[in-house]
Amino acid sequence: MTGALLFDLDRTLVDVQTYTDYAAALADVEVLVGAWGDPPTPATDWDTPTQLCMSILVSLSGDRRWAQVSDLITAHELRAVPLSHPMPRLAEAMACSEHLPRAVVTLLSQEPARAALRRHGVDVPALVPRRADQRPKPAPDQILEACRLLGVPPADAVMIGDSTWDAEAAAGAGCGFVGVAATEAGASRFGSDVRTAPDLVAALEAATRRMASD
């Protein structure tokens, strides 16, 4: 079997979001850039401050203020890492997939992403966090970069993620996708054409079946 696995991080491998005060982050961001309405991004089960923080980063792609906004949000994400929890069956899924090329593609910035992976013992060869020179998910740029780092074409990769943003990014990159919902509300957001699984191990099994059949 050839191919690669791409994992979202937050609420797919590790739950950082629940412990991040995105309401406080949003208040900090609005001091810098002013109040924002909700930019057009895919609907999720995230709370409003989380959705707005991520949507503002999407809207500011290419803007000189992007790095400042990201840094403000990063400070709150870092405070959440020591409180973060692994998602169900994380260790089992990582052990079962260690023979495959793997990357983590995340909307977290590099410092909290690395800290969360280290805290929970997740070792992957490639990490693609949010950064100023790439459009973040739901654009396909991060997934395309992960495939480049792993040396596989997107058509040979499968993304596992918890949100519609992951699903849209995977579709845009021409990559397979399996949804693993952190909440029932999250599960209902995926379209009927999206393959979903109840936990990480089941999602991994679905992803490897897809790669084996291609």
Side-chain angles (χ1 to χ4, degrees), residues 48-136:
T48 299
T50 304
Q51 176 99 14
L52 278 172
C53 283
M54 296 301 109
S55 295
I56 289 169
L57 287 167
V58 169
S59 296
L60 285 176
S61 290
D63 189 291
R64 60 180 177 78
R65 298 170 293 177
W66 190 96
Q68 293 173 284
V69 169
S70 181
D71 287 347
L72 289 173
I73 296 170
T74 293
H76 293 275
E77 293 165 341
L78 280 170
R79 294 186 194 110
V81 170
L83 304 173
S84 63
H85 282 265
M87 295 302 290
R89 306 186 76 182
L90 171 64
E92 186 179 354
M94 292 299 98
C96 291
S97 62
E98 63 184 2
H99 63 291
L100 290 168
R102 301 183 299 188
V104 168
V105 182
T106 178
L107 286 172
L108 291 170
S109 62
Q110 179 162 289
E111 193 175 358
R114 288 199 181 281
L117 293 172
R118 186 167 55 249
R119 173 178 169 78
H120 297 284
V122 177
D123 183 22
V124 293
L127 169 66
V128 183
R130 71 170 188 254
R131 65 190 202 201
D133 63 341
Q134 286 180 339
R135 294 178 301 164

Side-chain angles (χ1 to χ4, degrees), residues 102-182:
R102 301 183 299 188
V104 168
V105 182
T106 178
L107 286 172
L108 291 170
S109 62
Q110 179 162 289
E111 193 175 358
R114 288 199 181 281
L117 293 172
R118 186 167 55 249
R119 173 178 169 78
H120 297 284
V122 177
D123 183 22
V124 293
L127 169 66
V128 183
R130 71 170 188 254
R131 65 190 202 201
D133 63 341
Q134 286 180 339
R135 294 178 301 164
K137 296 181 290 186
D141 302 34
Q142 290 180 278
I143 290 179
L144 294 173
E145 173 65 5
C147 291
R148 185 191 70 78
L149 290 173
L150 295 176
V152 299
D156 290 345
V158 178
M159 173 87 179
I160 296 175
D162 74 293
S163 80
T164 51
W165 289 41
D166 299 317
E168 187 168 311
C175 171
F177 181 76
V178 179
V180 53

Side-chain angles (χ1 to χ4, degrees), residues 202-213:
L204 175 61
E205 291 169 350
T208 53
R209 281 197 302 271
R210 173 176 175 136
M211 286 190 288
S213 66

